[in-house]
Amino acid sequence: MAQFPPPIRNPEVKFTKLFINNEFVDSVSGKTFPTINPTNGQKICDVSEGDKADIDKAVESAKAAFKLGSPWRRMDASKRGALLYKVAQLMERDAQYLGSLETLDNGKPYMNAFGEMMFSANMLKYYAGSADKVGGKTIPVDGDYMCYTRHEPVGICGAVIPWNYPVCMFALKLAPALACGNVIIFKPAEQTPCCVAGSRTFVHEKIYDKFVAKSRELAQQRTCGDPYEMTTKNGPQVDKEQYSKILELIDAGKKEGARVECGGEAAGGDGFFIKPTVFSGVQDNMRIAKEEIFGPVQQIFKFSSLDEVIERANATHYGLGAAIFTSNIDTAMMFVQGVRAGTVWVNCYNPPCYQAPFGGFKMSGLGREMGEYNLSQYQEIKTVMIKIPQKNS
C-alpha cells in the first residue's frame, strides 16, 4: 500500500460543464442534473445536462476540425502522439486527485480508483506510440498496376462511456481515435459496476462443499464501508437504482430456492451499501443465474463433467469473459476452444492488460477494444490502384 498516495477525502469539483470545441460551456437548454455521493446519498454538485442541441454543436465543431486542409487534418501523426503522451503525463501527475474524485462520485474503493488512473495513463502512452505507425500495405495484383492501401480515419465518432471505469473508458475511446486522426464525441451511459466480475462460478461436485465454505469465509472477511479507507474492499453501489435492482435480484434468488451462505441484504446506513453475498445451490433457470446482477453477489453452481460445464457456461446471452482453473492442460485447451467468450483466462482472472484486445461474443458488445485491434474500429481502408506505364517493345 505504500505505493499509493493517500486519498483526498474532499476533492474539489472543478468542472461541471460540457466540454465542446476545446472549452467548458453550459448546456444550450441550461438544464443540469445532480450527481449523488453513493456513500451517503447526498448531492455532490449539479452537472450540465447535454441533449440534442449540444450534440449538434459538438458535431459542427468536429466537422470543422476534420475538414480537408484543417490544422487537425494536417497535423503530423507524431505530433498527435506527442499530445496523447502529454495527456498521459498529466494524468499521472494528477492521479491522486482524479482517483479521489472518482471515489467520491461512484463509491469505488480509492485503491481501485487510483489504479485505474495509472492504468489509463499507460494506455494513453501505448496509443501515443501507435499514432505514427498506422500504415497500409502494397499488394501485388494482376496486370500493369500498383496497388496499395491507406488506413484513413473514419471521421466523427460518437462514444458511449459507462461510468464503471469512467477515466479508463474515456482513455480507451479517446486514445485510439485520436491516434488514427478522428475527432470524438462522448456520451455517458448509465452507471454500472465491473462488467467482467466472476459472479457465475461453476465448481466440480467433488470439491463443491469445500469451495462454498471457503467462498463464504472470504466474503465474510471483505470490508464493506468507507471507500477512502485503504482496507475497504467493497464500496457502495453506484446509485439508488442499481442498489434496488441488486436487492430485488437477491430476493428473487431466495424465493427460487438458492441458499444464502452469507450477506443477502443491505448493509444499512445512509449509503447504497450491500453486504457481500454468496449463493450456493444455484440452478441454471434461476433469475440470478440468467440476469446480470452487477453487484457484490456470487452464484455457485455444481457440475460433474467438462462437456457439461462448457454447454452450461455457453447457455447465456452474454459472452464477455470466462476463466478456468485447472492443472490439466488438455482440460484448459478444451475449455478455451469450447467456451464462447471474448476473453478466456487460464489459472488467473482479469489481469490488467491494455496491450491485448478486449470485447465479447453475443450480446456482450461489438468489436474489440485495447491493443492493436482497437485501432481498426476507427479506420476506413482505402484501396488505391495506379496504372503503371510500360516501356514500348
Side-chain angles (χ1 to χ4, degrees):
M1 295 185 185
Q3 61 180 320
F4 290 88
I8 303 169
R9 282 190 168 268
N10 295 294
E12 178 187 0
V13 179
K14 300 179 180 179
F15 304 103
T16 61
K17 298 183 179 183
L18 305 176
F19 190 70
I20 298 177
N21 199 22
N22 209 36
E23 62 179 346
F24 286 98
V25 296
D26 292 316
S27 60
V28 172
S29 67
K31 293 180 181 178
T32 62
F33 67 91
T35 181
I36 304 299
N37 182 344
T39 303
N40 56 25
Q42 300 300 309
K43 183 174 78 171
I44 300 171
C45 63
D46 291 305
V47 179
S48 291
E49 182 177 335
D51 54 26
K52 183 180 182 302
D54 303 288
I55 293 175
D56 289 343
K57 283 179 60 180
V59 169
E60 287 305 311
S61 66
K63 283 181 179 178
F66 197 68
K67 188 175 180 180
L68 192 65
S70 71
W72 177 249
R73 286 288 292 267
R74 296 185 63 194
M75 181 182 289
D76 292 337
S78 60
K79 290 184 178 179
R80 289 202 307 273
L83 287 175
L84 282 173
Y85 200 88
K86 183 177 181 179
V87 174
Q89 291 178 312
L90 293 173
M91 188 173 291
E92 286 180 328
R93 183 195 70 184
D94 294 336
Q96 179 188 29
Y97 166 73
L98 293 171
S100 300
L101 195 64
E102 182 170 348
T103 295
L104 175 69
D105 185 49
N106 68 16
K108 177 183 295 187
Y110 171 73
M111 286 180 61
N112 299 96
F114 181 84
E116 179 189 341
M117 302 308 126
M118 302 308 293
F119 183 87
S120 301
N122 286 332
M123 189 188 305
L124 287 167
K125 290 178 182 178
Y126 175 88
Y127 286 110
S130 300
D132 58 0
K133 299 172 184 64
V134 177
K137 297 180 180 180
T138 57
I139 304 171
V141 294
D142 294 345
D144 298 331
Y145 304 97
M146 175 185 178
C147 176
Y148 68 94
T149 58
R150 288 172 52 88
H151 289 207
E152 298 188 358
V154 168
I156 301 171
C157 304
V160 178
I161 303 299
W163 287 106
N164 51 353
Y165 293 95
V167 177
C168 180
M169 296 304 294
F170 172 81
L172 187 56
K173 304 293 185 183
L174 173 75
L178 297 192
C180 294
N182 299 279
V183 181
I184 185 163
I185 299 168
F186 295 98
K187 179 185 183 299
E190 65 180 29
Q191 302 184 2
T192 55
C194 183
C195 54
V196 288
S199 57
R200 298 173 74 227
T201 308
F202 291 87
V203 182
H204 195 275
E205 58 188 6
K206 290 184 178 180
I207 61 169
Y208 186 83
D209 292 340
K210 193 178 197 179
F211 185 93
V212 168
K214 188 64 176 178
S215 295
R216 179 175 61 243
E217 177 188 343
L218 292 174
Q220 290 172 335
Q221 292 174 5
R222 292 184 70 86
T223 306
C224 179
D226 182 357
Y228 284 114
E229 289 293 336
M230 292 294 196
T231 55
T232 296
K233 299 295 184 183
N234 282 63
Q237 304 313 298
V238 74
D239 58 25
K240 182 67 177 293
E241 181 181 359
Q242 187 65 21
Y243 169 82
S244 299
K245 176 186 174 183
I246 295 166
L247 290 176
E248 193 268 330
L249 281 168
I250 288 174
D251 286 340
K254 296 175 183 177
K255 291 175 183 176
E256 291 180 343
R259 178 179 176 181
V260 178
E261 296 290 337
C262 65
E265 60 186 1
D270 297 326
F272 308 133
F273 294 93
I274 295 175
K275 292 180 180 179
T277 300
V278 175
F279 277 110
S280 64
V282 182
Q283 303 301 314
D284 295 0
N285 61 345
M286 293 178 177
R287 284 186 62 195
I288 57 172
K290 297 187 295 183
E291 298 182 27
E292 290 184 303
I293 293 182
F294 278 133
V297 183
Q298 181 184 31
Q299 302 86 260
I300 308 180
F301 305 75
K302 184 185 293 185
F303 78 94
S304 58
S305 71
L306 180 61
D307 289 343
E308 172 205 341
V309 77
I310 290 175
E311 182 177 352
R312 291 171 64 193
N314 287 336
T316 172
H317 296 301
Y318 308 105
L320 187 57
I324 183 170
F325 290 81
T326 178
S327 58
N328 188 316
I329 187 63
D330 292 339
T331 298
M333 295 311 296
M334 285 289 290
F335 183 82
V336 166
Q337 293 178 66
V339 74
R340 299 282 294 168
T343 301
V344 182
W345 296 284
V346 178
N347 293 335
C348 59
Y349 198 89
N350 197 23
C353 180
Y354 50 83
Q355 299 95 336
F358 178 80
F361 287 18
K362 297 179 279 189
M363 289 182 67
S364 291
L366 297 172
R368 292 297 179 267
E369 297 171 331
M370 296 193 278
E372 281 187 66
Y373 288 83
N374 198 6
L375 295 173
S376 63
Q377 299 182 101
Y378 299 96
Q379 300 174 23
E380 297 281 15
I381 308 300
K382 179 181 287 183
T383 299
V384 181
M385 298 281 288
I386 302 174
K387 176 69 174 177
I388 301 176
Q390 299 297 311
K391 181 179 180 182
N392 295 328
S393 57

